Amino acid sequence: MLTCRAVWKKLAPLARASSTVCRQNVRRAGWNNARTPLCVPVAHMSTGPVGGGSDNLKYALLVGASFVGGLTYAVITLKGDQKRHVERMTEISSRKQKSASQIQTEPPATVMEPPLETKLEAAAAPDAEAAAPSETAEPPPVDEPLAEASAEEAAAPLTDAGVEEAADSKPSLPSHAPYLLIGGGTASFAAARSIRARDPDAKVLIVTDEPDLPYMRPPLSKELWFSDDPSVTETLRFKQWNGKERSIYFQPPSFYVDAEELSGAENGGVAVLTGRKVVHMDVRGNKVKLDDDMEISYDKCLIATGGVPRNLQVIERAGEEVMKRTTVFRKIDDFKSLDKVSRNAQSITIIGGGFLGSELACALGRRSTESGLEVIQMFPEKGNMGKVLPEYLSNWTTEKVKKEGVKVIREAVVKSVSYKDDKLEIKLKDGRVVRTDHIVAAVGLEPNVDLAKSAGLEVDSDFGGYRVNAELQARSNIWVAGDAACFYDIRLGRRRVEHHDHAVVSGRLAGENMTGANKPYWHQSMFWSDLGPDVGYEAIGIVDSSLPTVGVFAKATAKDTPKAATEESGTGIRSESETEDTASSAVAPAAPAPVVSHRDEYGKGVIFYLREKVVVGIILWNVFNRMPIARKIIKDGEEHVDLNEVAKLFNIHED
């Protein structure tokens, strides 16, 4: 009935128009014959005067055809509506029967079926739901294809297999992280702690390509090698120089939230997704893609990818047999592998005379006295750490390394490496040949900037790493910290630092800025190196042996060793014991102190590195817990007429 009424509403204007046209034609015909009718009867519209009959016949046919067509359309529409009504009632009846049979044959379901009206409304407006999804609805896993279920599938009850599958299924990995940290090193962990300190309910996801939870790297080349525990490679627990034991991991597994449960964690938390690598960044879309094609969106992102240890090209081109017998030292797996090699091989050669190479040489050298292992260290400089220490101190350090049982080959430039007769043969450019079982390449670190291209981030052409502003921000919602960050130092210019303290401080600051702190990076980071428990140094600023230096030394005592320093501070990671207020409490002794320069024994002292008569770097040689003073001297940026007076601030002449 409603359809007929609608059809009539459409045809009525046409009929009225036809009637009006007919009356007008009758009047027009009368005027043409000089007879103007006073009125035109509506009932005789189709029979006008002579001359208009054919036109009236056409309009009559038009009206009749319109009426017949409308009637036909109404009949067809009514029949179609009746047929669809019958089909719909049949479908609803069948659903009720299925629901009744399900209730009789199965126990009560724990998931309630939505009302039929709700289903009909949802089926009637799919476009509206697609255009405006619920804000509280959890998106489907991104690694599964998104498909719309049909009405029959949505209404069908779960089978036994479906119930079992739903019960056994585990929560999927989060497809969104408010705070996404790329990299699982020191900087990333420091950022996570900083974020949680400022935002206690924050949900932080760390993605790392390593299989391990965040850990500190310094003990890998220091204390772990001096452990008496034969299972140290499994426990990764070590004794610090002060005798206290600790784990290499920052926190135990119980500290973290499972990655699958992070999205639903009521109080937030820190989750670590191990063994996954971010291979692509969509900066505009605020999302990343992993190496398994999974995508994770984010609100704020930190890049703390660190670096990749370099290798010599002559080794990389030498073939598979040489590469299998070469270690580039960086991770826990590298420590475990080298420890195993050192217990089975007869000879190990370390290529590199920097911090890492010298530390490993001393560590393996001490082990050689017990096992008969031959340890060789070669480098192109004239002495150990020749790029950092002044020549006289570098030569002294080399003699110290030799006393640890290491054979040192100076000014050695590798020409080629080959594998012959179950030995690696290293040929130097001056003609010398070294035969060994295994090679450790400790020749520096290359910042990991693999994401720069896809993310459109700028890489510094001089120092490497991602260029960031004073707040460690590379782009909107993206920060960089640690070894991969090339930042601007307000005193020393643009720099990139590869040390533990910088990773801690830059990661902490980046985490604060990700939560809205907007703080600039002004910290002068320090680093330290220990050649065993008896000799160590701490450094800050630009320490380059090509710069002019001034050294002030004194006689060392029993407390002037790394071991004694950790006993006093209570921690083996000496940067953790730093406090800024220490700098203001230092008072120089009143008594003048003699300057000890370039003598054969350097017990303890301070080395100043100068650029245009301004101190830009300081090394504290066997002088510990005085770093805030050195930091303040560099921060002031003043010229000093007599650096002997400045050295008094470090109290190196006190017994």
Side-chain angles (χ1 to χ4, degrees):
M1 195 66 180
L2 293 175
T3 306
C4 292
R5 184 178 300 173
V7 172
W8 172 248
K9 287 182 179 181
K10 294 181 179 179
L11 294 179
L14 180 61
R16 286 195 294 269
S18 300
S19 301
T20 303
V21 172
C22 290
R23 284 196 292 267
Q24 290 175 353
N25 287 337
V26 171
R27 291 192 181 97
R28 189 179 299 111
W31 291 335
N32 292 337
N33 294 310
R35 296 191 304 270
T36 304
L38 296 176
C39 63
V40 180
V42 177
H44 301 285
M45 287 187 302
S46 60
T47 58
V50 179
S54 61
D55 291 336
N56 291 337
L57 180 60
K58 292 179 181 179
Y59 287 113
L61 292 175
L62 177 62
V63 173
S66 300
F67 177 77
V68 173
L71 183 61
T72 304
Y73 177 79
V75 172
I76 294 175
T77 303
L78 286 174
K79 288 184 177 180
D81 288 346
Q82 184 178 7
K83 181 179 180 181
R84 285 191 292 271
H85 176 72
V86 173
E87 292 177 351
R88 187 61 176 169
M89 295 303 295
T90 304
E91 180 183 354
I92 293 174
S93 177
S94 63
R95 289 182 182 177
K96 292 181 178 179
Q97 293 176 0
K98 290 181 180 180
S99 177
S101 62
Q102 179 70 13
I103 294 175
Q104 293 176 1
T105 57
E106 294 184 5
T110 58
V111 180
M112 295 183 64
E113 189 83 355
L116 179 60
E117 292 79 7
T118 305
K119 293 183 182 178
L120 294 178
E121 292 174 2
D127 295 338
E129 291 183 0
S134 173
E135 294 181 356
T136 59
E138 184 176 355
V142 295
D143 53 350
E144 295 181 3
L146 181 62
E148 295 183 1
S150 63
E152 290 78 11
E153 291 174 343
L158 288 174
T159 61
D160 293 341
V163 173
E164 294 177 0
E165 182 179 356
D168 296 337
S169 63
K170 297 181 179 180
S172 60
L173 294 174
S175 59
H176 177 78
Y179 296 96
L180 178 64
L181 313 183
I182 304 175
T186 300
S188 187
F189 181 77
R193 287 200 299 189
S194 180
I195 291 170
R196 292 279 295 169
R198 289 177 54 88
D199 184 1
D201 295 330
K203 297 177 181 179
V204 183
L205 177 62
I206 299 175
V207 180
T208 173
D209 58 354
E210 295 191 48
D212 304 289
L213 296 173
Y215 61 92
M216 45 189 161
R217 300 188 191 276
L220 293 178
S221 59
K222 297 180 177 70
E223 293 93 338
L224 282 174
W225 291 98
F226 295 88
S227 174
D228 297 329
D229 185 3
S231 61
V232 65
T233 55
E234 300 300 327
T235 63
L236 295 176
R237 297 188 63 85
F238 61 95
K239 287 185 178 181
Q240 302 172 139
W241 301 139
N242 59 4
K244 295 181 179 180
E245 186 176 88
R246 69 179 296 177
S247 171
I248 194 174
Y249 295 102
F250 289 112
Q251 292 290 346
S254 59
F255 171 82
Y256 302 95
V257 178
D258 290 340
E260 294 83 357
E261 301 175 358
L262 180 63
S263 298
E266 182 178 357
N267 298 322
V270 180
V272 182
L273 193 58
T274 59
R276 304 288 185 90
K277 183 178 181 180
V278 176
V279 296
H280 185 273
M281 286 193 71
D282 180 2
V283 176
R284 292 185 178 180
N286 280 8
K287 61 183 178 180
V288 300
K289 179 186 287 186
L290 307 186
D291 51 2
D292 59 355
D293 291 332
M294 177 182 177
E295 290 186 348
I296 301 176
S297 60
Y298 60 85
D299 296 331
K300 305 291 179 64
C301 179
L302 173 70
I303 300 177
T305 49
V308 179
R310 294 191 186 103
N311 199 352
L312 296 177
Q313 292 186 358
V314 293
I315 295 178
E316 293 176 343
R317 296 195 299 259
E320 183 180 355
E321 292 297 330
V322 174
M323 288 296 296
K324 287 194 304 184
R325 293 165 175 80
T326 301
T327 297
V328 285
F329 200 87
R330 177 69 173 172
K331 304 177 181 179
I332 289 179
D333 288 342
D334 301 327
F335 164 72
K336 293 181 178 181
S337 174
L338 186 58
D339 178 80
K340 183 178 180 180
V341 169
S342 67
R343 299 181 186 279
N344 299 315
Q346 296 178 350
S347 172
I348 294 179
T349 298
I350 301 169
I351 302 178
F355 308 113
L356 178 61
S358 299
E359 289 173 359
L360 289 176
C362 289
L364 292 174
R366 287 207 170 187
R367 180 170 292 186
S368 68
T369 58
E370 303 173 357
S371 61
L373 173 69
E374 181 186 30
V375 180
I376 304 171
Q377 184 187 16
M378 60 174 62
F379 41 80
E381 296 81 24
K382 294 182 179 180
N384 285 76
M385 293 178 289
K387 293 182 179 180
V388 176
L389 302 177
E391 185 175 353
Y392 63 90
L393 196 56
S394 173
N395 293 335
W396 184 91
T397 304
T398 301
E399 296 302 318
K400 176 67 172 62
V401 173
K402 288 181 179 180
K403 292 179 181 179
E404 296 292 339
V406 180
K407 179 182 179 182
V408 178
I409 303 177
R410 313 183 192 201
E411 300 179 279
V413 179
V414 179
K415 180 180 180 180
S416 65
V417 181
S418 59
Y419 180 69
K420 294 181 180 179
D421 302 328
D422 295 333
K423 290 282 187 179
L424 295 177
E425 189 174 273
I426 305 173
K427 292 184 178 180
L428 306 181
K429 284 191 175 182
D430 58 6
R432 289 177 291 181
V433 178
V434 177
R435 291 176 60 83
T436 187
D437 294 322
H438 197 85
I439 292 176
V440 179
V443 292
L445 193 72
E446 192 72 27
N448 186 348
V449 292
D450 292 344
L451 297 175
K453 185 176 181 180
S454 63
L457 302 180
E458 183 181 3
V459 176
D460 190 87
S461 58
D462 296 327
F463 300 97
Y466 301 97
R467 287 178 69 96
V468 296
N469 61 15
E471 297 173 2
L472 301 180
Q473 192 171 20
R475 285 190 63 173
S476 177
N477 298 328
I478 298 179
W479 287 259
V480 187
D483 300 345
C486 181
F487 62 97
Y488 183 77
D489 190 312
I490 59 177
R491 290 295 179 190
L492 307 177
R494 188 159 289 277
R495 305 176 62 204
R496 190 178 65 82
V497 181
E498 300 175 354
H499 299 295
H500 178 85
D501 180 61
H502 169 68
V504 171
V505 177
S506 64
R508 182 189 303 141
L509 179 67
E512 292 180 3
N513 288 340
M514 291 172 75
T515 57
N518 298 322
K519 294 182 179 179
Y521 185 77
W522 56 266
H523 180 75
Q524 286 291 338
S525 61
M526 59 87 70
F527 63 93
W528 78 96
S529 180
D530 294 335
L531 304 179
D534 300 326
V535 176
Y537 63 88
E538 299 174 353
I540 187 173
I542 300 177
V543 286
D544 188 338
S545 60
S546 63
L547 295 174
T549 61
V550 175
V552 181
F553 294 87
K555 182 179 180 180
T557 63
K559 65 179 182 179
D560 298 318
T561 63
K563 180 178 180 180
T566 55
E567 289 176 350
E568 180 179 350
S569 64
T571 175
I573 306 300
R574 294 199 289 275
S575 61
E576 294 178 357
S577 63
E578 289 189 58
T579 54
E580 285 299 325
D581 56 356
T582 309
S584 60
S585 62
V587 179
V595 178
V596 183
S597 59
H598 302 195
R599 68 179 191 178
D600 294 337
E601 192 69 31
Y602 303 101
K604 63 179 180 179
V606 182
I607 303 98
F608 299 97
Y609 292 75
L610 308 176
R611 186 168 63 188
E612 299 178 356
K613 298 182 180 181
V614 176
V615 177
V616 296
I618 298 176
I619 284 183
L620 305 181
W621 187 262
N622 270 346
V623 176
F624 307 100
N625 301 322
R626 297 288 187 275
M627 188 51 63
I629 303 173
R631 181 174 287 112
K632 187 176 187 303
I633 293 172
I634 294 179
K635 184 179 180 180
D636 292 342
E638 300 176 354
E639 291 187 20
H640 298 278
V641 178
D642 189 358
L643 290 175
N644 296 323
E645 294 298 321
V646 179
K648 294 179 182 179
L649 296 173
F650 298 93
N651 299 331
I652 63 174
H653 300 288
E654 289 185 351
D655 294 332

